[in-house]
């Protein structure tokens, strides 16, 4: 059976993929159940800010999708993110000591700004093939992290880590991940070699930004003064 295009993209950069989604110290600390709560709070604030721009990217994906089925799925992802996930995010932040006013007044740190600016630029200026490929490492990566952590007793014994894991191991999230993987594969079936190369480039850049996002939280990075 021939290798699917999404698997080809991932396997072509498997070392970086694992560095970002499997072996990063932030993720290892979650798995071992000893993640510093301050690093997690930093991550949650930046993730909230990321989601705001992520919704804008998905909105643009709806407009550039080429059929009703893909428009429907992107619309579902937008609705779930904007009207459900973000409220859950705010509620979760309250539970760990981050009031809504701190979320709303927070500034995006360098890794967050760079990542969202890249995704927004891709969504505004490129085709649906490149947009879908750029979104895949985030959606797929968190799905994989959830699967790798859900059987960790140490992780599940820590309330805030266990709750985070549950957000990425539910059926709805996994179904959307599966759909996006299949959608990227379908797009690649009709794509020229030139378009496939662009998709590969977007996929790779997003993995790099995924790594920088985790690294920023791990190191509590801020702006230089």
């Amino acid at each position: 059976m021939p290798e699917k295009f999404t698997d080809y993209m991932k396997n072509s950069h498997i070392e970086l993929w694992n560095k970002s989604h499997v072996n990063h110290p932030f993720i290892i600390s979650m798995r071992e159940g000893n993640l510093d709560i301050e690093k997690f709070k930093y991550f949650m604030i930046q993730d909230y800010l990321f989601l705001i721009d992520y919704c804008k990217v998905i909105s643009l994906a709806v407009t550039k999708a080429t059929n009703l089925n893909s428009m429907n799925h992107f619309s579902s992802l937008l609705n779930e993110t904007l009207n459900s996930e973000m409220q859950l995010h705010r509620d979760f932040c309250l539970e760990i000591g981050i009031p809504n006013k701190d979320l709303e007044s927070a500034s995006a740190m360098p890794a967050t700004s760079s990542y969202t600016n890249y995704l927004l630029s891709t969504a505004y200026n490129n085709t649906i093939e490149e947009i879908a490929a750029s979104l895949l490492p985030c959606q797929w990566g968190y799905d994989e992290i959830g699967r790798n952590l859900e059987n960790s007793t140490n992780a599940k014994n820590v309330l805030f880590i266990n709750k985070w894991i549950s957000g990425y191991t539910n059926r709805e999230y996994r179904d959307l991940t599966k759909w996006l993987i299949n959608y990227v594969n379908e797009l690649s079936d009709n794509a020229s070699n030139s378009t496939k190369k662009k998709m590969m480039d977007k996929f790779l850049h997003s993995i790099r930004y995924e790594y920088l996002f985790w690294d920023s939280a791990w190191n509590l990075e801020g702006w230089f003064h």
Side-chain angles (χ1 to χ4, degrees), residues 94-200:
L94 278 174
E95 290 180 21
I96 60 174
I98 306 171
N100 286 337
K101 64 181 179 63
D102 288 358
L103 276 181
E104 301 305 331
S105 64
S107 298
M109 291 295 107
T112 310
S113 293
S114 297
Y115 195 178
T116 58
N117 287 342
Y118 154 73
L119 290 175
L120 283 165
S121 176
T122 298
Y124 275 114
N125 299 312
N126 299 106
T127 64
I128 190 61
E129 287 86 357
E130 292 163 82
I131 297 169
S134 73
L135 291 172
L136 187 55
C138 179
Q139 184 75 26
W140 195 1
Y142 279 57
D143 184 288
E144 185 170 299
I145 292 167
R147 291 175 189 274
N148 289 339
L149 295 181
E150 68 177 331
N151 295 318
S152 168
T153 301
N154 289 334
K156 300 196 85 170
N157 281 338
V158 180
L159 185 60
F160 72 86
I161 298 176
N162 184 46
K163 184 164 185 176
W164 185 88
I165 294 169
S166 68
Y168 298 99
T169 53
N170 62 67
R171 180 175 292 258
E172 186 172 17
Y173 189 85
R174 286 178 172 174
D175 285 346
L176 280 169
T177 302
K178 184 178 180 180
W179 171 78
L180 186 58
I181 291 170
N182 290 336
Y183 182 57
V184 171
N185 284 325
E186 289 171 10
L187 290 171
S188 72
D189 288 341
N190 300 312
S192 65
N193 288 335
S194 173
T195 298
K196 287 180 182 178
K197 184 180 184 304
K198 291 176 182 177
M199 293 170 75
M200 285 277 292

Side-chain angles (χ1 to χ4, degrees), residues 82-96:
L82 191 59
N83 297 314
S84 179
E85 184 176 356
M86 293 193 74
Q87 185 57 52
L88 290 172
H89 208 100
R90 286 189 287 267
D91 293 343
F92 190 4
C93 283
L94 278 174
E95 290 180 21
I96 60 174

Side-chain angles (χ1 to χ4, degrees), residues 6-107:
T6 52
D7 290 331
Y8 172 72
M9 290 197 296
K10 179 181 175 182
N11 291 333
S12 295
H13 306 292
I14 194 63
E15 185 175 345
L16 178 59
W17 179 274
N18 288 338
K19 186 177 181 181
S20 302
H21 298 116
V22 180
N23 300 320
H24 193 281
F26 192 104
I27 297 165
I28 291 174
S29 289
M30 281 202 289
R31 186 169 64 238
E32 294 178 349
N34 59 13
L35 179 65
D36 182 347
I37 186 66
E38 293 306 316
K39 293 183 178 183
F40 187 74
K41 287 181 178 179
Y42 176 107
F43 168 81
M44 289 294 290
I45 291 171
Q46 293 304 304
D47 196 41
Y48 178 80
L49 298 174
F50 174 90
L51 286 173
I52 294 172
D53 282 339
Y54 187 71
C55 287
K56 298 176 185 178
V57 174
I58 301 169
S59 298
L60 290 165
V62 174
T63 69
K64 293 193 175 184
T66 54
N67 57 62
L68 288 175
N69 182 57
S70 53
M71 289 173 68
N72 179 59
H73 276 89
F74 279 123
S75 296
S76 296
L77 179 58
L78 176 60
N79 179 63
E80 172 65 22
T81 305
L82 191 59
N83 297 314
S84 179
E85 184 176 356
M86 293 193 74
Q87 185 57 52
L88 290 172
H89 208 100
R90 286 189 287 267
D91 293 343
F92 190 4
C93 283
L94 278 174
E95 290 180 21
I96 60 174
I98 306 171
N100 286 337
K101 64 181 179 63
D102 288 358
L103 276 181
E104 301 305 331
S105 64
S107 298

